[in-house]
């Protein structure tokens, strides 16, 4: 038998779970509230003690991970609950941010609320019940290889003009790293400047950098988060073909959504690719002395951990063991199953970069690292329910203002866009910048 190539799609055990496979899990949910609050020992105030944007905004149990476990159980048990009305509304109004998953694992290590939320979305999509706006996003991905409404494949490379980046897609040139901008950096006029800035900084520090030229496309990860599994898989496979032809370089991306897609979602498909977030690489370059930040930036900032770089950015570990129920109630796994509690996400690299900028003062928010509050853009919510998405962003801006910082810094274009211009509960907005903006100022 031919050896499996690192770019052949061979889903790992557990990836192909469907809603029915979650039935025992739905019944094991103990209604303990861990999916609705920051773990109690980490709560700093009642005001910022919630973790799930969905149940916080709708204030109704159905919109929590617990509520969705109950919903799934009812759908599977008697079919009296259908994919319509408020049930359908709850299924799609979930940012897939993973805060419930981390909260749940504090008390229950054997449940996967995030994967279950997505299984519900997938079933609704299969039944043709997805919101029209999300169907349009999936169609856009299939046709234009991006999920940004109105964007065209033919315009994708505009951001790279003038950069003289090596095009490694045609097999003539090679590079150690391929720069994978992601759709926001590729198309958004303001963000394009930041993509250029990332490239300039990396090249200046001596990184051997290229890109996939005409083969550069959307990662497709967001389609998976929205329940469009087939579309996500097709996009992942299309990217794998390009990367293989380009000689399988390491990939560096400035987008946290792409990072999560390549690191976790692709790994579950069996597509093995070495990916780093650009802030990780910049942190390494600073540490090794290849990048020196000398100019002072006199600013107090607070750092927003993107969900998909932080708690969802943990490395994927395939598990191929067996699960057994003993004593009629205790589940055991042989060998031990990996437990994703968000602890090993990328939290230190962006903070190390910020700490290396002279004059910059970091003040932390109450909800940070694995308990960070989502920006509101995840799971397609910013497209089909902007009112909900903005409310979640406003809550984060309120929390950021409570620190007394002058600006919010983040490492994801989706977070940056969703938090920008949104006002807090006192009616004022805050400047939002990317890590690279401050690095560029300090050079
Ligand atoms: S934390 Fe987990 S076990 Fe507890 S109510 Fe939420 S989903 Fe159920
Ligand atoms: S993924 Fe996020 S929005 Fe969805 S239920 Fe979990 S915490 Fe709430």
């Amino acid at each position: 038998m031919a050896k499996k190539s690192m770019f052949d799609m061979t889903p790992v055990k557990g990836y192909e779970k469907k809603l029915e496979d979650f039935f025992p899990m739905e019944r094991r949910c103990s209604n303990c509230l861990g999916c609705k609050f920051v773990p109690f020992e980490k709560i700093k105030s009642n005001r910022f003690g919630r973790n799930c944007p969905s149940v916080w905004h709708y204030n109704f149990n159905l919109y929590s991970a617990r509520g969705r476990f109950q919903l799934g159980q009812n759908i599977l048990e008697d079919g009296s609950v259908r994919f319509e009305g408020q049930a359908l509304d709850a299924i799609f109004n979930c940012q897939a941010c993973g805060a419930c998953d981390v909260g749940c694992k504090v008390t229950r290590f054997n449940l996967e609320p995030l994967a279950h939320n997505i299984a519900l979305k997938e079933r609704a999509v299969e039944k043709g019940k997805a919101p029209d706006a999300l169907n349009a996003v999936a169609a856009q991905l299939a046709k234009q290889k991006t999920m940004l409404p109105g964007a065209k494949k033919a315009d994708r490379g505009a951001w790279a003009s003038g950069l003289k980046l090596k095009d490694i897609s045609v097999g003539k040139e090679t590079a150690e790293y391929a720069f994978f901008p992601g759709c926001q950096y590729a198309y958004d006029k303001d963000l394009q400047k930041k993509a250029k800035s990332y490239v300039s900084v990396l090249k200046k520090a001596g990184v051997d950098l290229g890109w996939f030229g005409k083969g550069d496309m959307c990662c497709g990860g967001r389609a998976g988060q929205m329940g469009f599994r087939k579309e996500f898989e097709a996009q992942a496979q299309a990217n794998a073909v390009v990367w293989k032809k380009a000689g399988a370089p390491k990939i560096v991306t400035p987008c946290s959504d792409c990072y999560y897609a390549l690191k976790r979602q692709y790994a579950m498909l069996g597509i093995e690719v070495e990916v780093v977030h650009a802030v990780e690489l910049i942190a390494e370059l600073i540490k090794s002395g290849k990048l020196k930040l000398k100019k002072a930036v006199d600013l107090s900032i607070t750092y927003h951990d993107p969900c998909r770089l932080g708690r969802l950015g943990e490395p994927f570990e395939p598990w191929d063991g067996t699960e057994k129920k003993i004593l009629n109630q205790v589940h055991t796994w042989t060998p031990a199953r990996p437990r994703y509690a968000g602890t090993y996400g990328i939290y230190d690299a962006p903070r190390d970069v910020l700490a290396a900028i002279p004059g910059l003062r970091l003040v932390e928010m109450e909800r940070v690292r694995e308990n960070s509050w989502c920006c509101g853009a995840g799971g397609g919510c910013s497209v089909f329910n902007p009112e909900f998405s903005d409310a979640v962003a406003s809550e984060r801006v309120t929390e950021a203002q409570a620190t007394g910082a002058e600006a919010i810094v983040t490492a994801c274009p989706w977070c940056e866009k969703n938090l920008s211009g949104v006002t807090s509960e006192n009616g004022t907005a805050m400047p939002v910048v990317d890590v690279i903006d401050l690095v560029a100022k300090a050079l």
Side-chain angles (χ1 to χ4, degrees), residues 35 51-54 63-65 68 94-100 114 117:
C35 52
N51 70 349
C52 169
S54 184
Y63 291 78
S64 68
R68 293 184 183 93
C94 159
Q95 267 98 357
C97 70
C100 53
L114 175 60
N117 293 345

Side-chain angles (χ1 to χ4, degrees), residues 146-288:
T146 175
M147 284 184 265
L148 297 185
K152 299 258 184 308
K153 174 82 181 83
D155 302 331
R156 190 174 181 99
W159 73 273
S161 72
L163 284 176
K164 298 198 175 97
L165 258 180
K166 287 190 274 187
D167 180 350
I168 58 171
S169 67
V170 287
K172 286 186 187 147
E173 294 190 277
T174 58
E176 184 184 1
Y177 285 95
F179 190 79
F180 191 83
C183 298
Q184 290 283 10
Y185 283 118
Y187 289 107
D188 184 279
K189 290 276 177 274
D190 292 328
L191 293 173
Q192 283 176 347
K193 292 178 210 138
K194 302 187 189 218
K196 282 178 185 281
S197 196
Y198 267 114
V199 168
S200 306
V201 168
L202 293 174
K203 281 173 77 173
K204 191 177 159 81
V207 176
D208 180 19
L209 201 63
W211 76 306
F212 296 117
K214 286 197 166 50
D216 182 58
M217 290 181 275
C218 177
C219 66
R222 200 156 272 242
Q225 299 161 29
M226 289 164 12
F228 289 79
R229 188 190 278 217
K230 271 196 295 193
E231 289 79 355
F232 160 63
E233 288 176 0
Q235 190 55 30
Q237 188 71 89
N239 271 313
V241 169
V242 173
W243 301 343
K244 189 176 181 181
K245 197 170 160 202
K250 291 186 261 188
I251 289 178
V252 54
T253 180
C255 173
S256 294
D257 235 49
C258 297
Y259 177 81
Y260 169 67
L262 273 52
K263 185 128 185 164
R264 287 278 286 276
Q265 293 175 280
Y266 279 41
M268 291 190 78
L269 290 178
I271 297 173
E272 299 164 35
V273 57
E274 201 174 327
V275 58
V276 290
H277 191 284
V279 295
E280 289 182 278
L281 197 48
I282 289 174
E284 268 176 39
L285 294 166
I286 292 171
K287 209 169 157 193
S288 63

